[in-house]
Amino acid sequence: MIKLYQNNWHGIEFSSFGQNDIKKIAGLDFYNRFYNEFFLKFKYFDDLNKDWLNYKNKMAKIIQKEFGDKKNILSIGCGIGVVEKYILENNQNINLTAIEPSKNVCKWIKDFKNIDIKYGYFPEIINQKQNFDIAYANGIDYVFDERQYHFFLKSVVDYGIKELIIISASYYEPNFILYTKEIIRDMLIKFNLFNKNIQFWGYKRSLIDQFSAMNKAGFKKMYLKYKSNNTIVIKAIAK
């Protein structure tokens, strides 16, 4: 696992709405401020970068292949809802519960049928125990350190969800050169000698990191469903 840094997202410079923090990871307040800027710049899905939309729809296709005849689906960390939009438009007979920490971020999909949007964190935001046939977490693993990721994965197992799909857009393949660069960068950051105009964004994980974390949390079987240069899709089974 290595650290990830960033200074913009969707063409929005982080410095335009606050001061970047190279040592403290972006939290809920950061994302709330980011999305304020986001919705000033973009009015609907059609305004977004087409390559990014195509990538998200590709992930949605991979996710929905795992549904089979499952009806009750849980999305953990849905963001603005690009994947959820595709899934709802192409699956008429499912019930989708979508969880997102940042309030009002899902407003573009709030009027879709068969979706229940909850703003908060899993599992606390779900007031009554629900039987989900499968869950997916799309591009959220990067925000967790090792301890937090363990508790998140274990919370899914403890809730009783038997199948989980993890879509990680912060995948990397370990190598000596990369690790050397990471060591040098971390030392420069420690002594305030690195570019301060970047934000500590989160963590990248290798496939071994992912499988190890899932196994430790209680998942019994893990299957790699998709792999590219920076994205992997894993299906984990707890039963």
Side-chain angles (χ1 to χ4, degrees), residues 36-53:
N36 285 337
E37 298 295 320
F38 178 90
F39 288 115
L40 290 175
K41 182 175 182 179
F42 304 108
K43 302 306 177 186
Y44 198 59
F45 294 110
D46 295 340
D47 297 332
L48 298 169
N49 179 274
K50 297 300 184 292
D51 290 338
W52 186 77
L53 287 173

Side-chain angles (χ1 to χ4, degrees), residues 55 58-59 62-63 66 138 165-168 207 211 214 223-228 231-235:
Y55 164 78
K58 182 178 181 178
M59 294 302 105
I62 294 171
I63 292 168
E66 302 303 321
N138 183 14
I165 302 170
I166 289 286
I167 304 91
S168 175
L207 185 59
F211 277 16
M214 292 172 182
Y223 302 95
L224 180 62
K225 293 293 182 176
Y226 173 84
K227 176 178 174 289
S228 69
T231 300
I232 52 175
V233 179
I234 301 170
K235 183 176 182 179

Side-chain angles (χ1 to χ4, degrees), residues 70-162:
K70 297 177 177 66
K71 302 295 184 184
N72 297 315
I73 316 297
L74 174 64
S75 169
I76 305 174
C78 65
I80 61 173
V82 179
V83 167
E84 288 66 33
K85 176 178 181 291
Y86 182 95
I87 287 174
L88 290 168
E89 289 176 341
N90 291 276
N91 298 269
Q92 306 299 319
N93 298 317
I94 65 169
N95 296 309
L96 180 61
T97 299
I99 297 174
E100 169 55 39
S102 298
K103 290 187 177 181
N104 206 34
V105 168
C106 310
K107 60 184 179 181
W108 290 349
I109 58 170
K110 65 181 179 63
D111 294 325
F112 277 62
K113 293 181 179 179
N114 301 330
I115 187 170
D116 179 18
I117 298 172
K118 296 181 180 295
Y119 290 109
Y121 293 94
F122 175 85
E124 295 84 4
I125 193 60
I126 303 177
N127 296 325
Q128 294 181 332
K129 184 79 170 183
Q130 298 183 40
N131 293 320
F132 295 109
D133 300 316
I134 191 170
Y136 66 90
N138 183 14
I140 69 168
D141 56 303
Y142 74 97
V143 305
F144 299 119
D145 63 22
E146 186 174 359
R147 181 184 62 84
Q148 292 166 339
Y149 196 40
H150 170 73
F151 282 121
F152 166 70
L153 292 172
K154 191 174 186 301
S155 73
V156 175
V157 175
D158 291 346
Y159 191 86
I161 296 171
K162 303 300 183 183

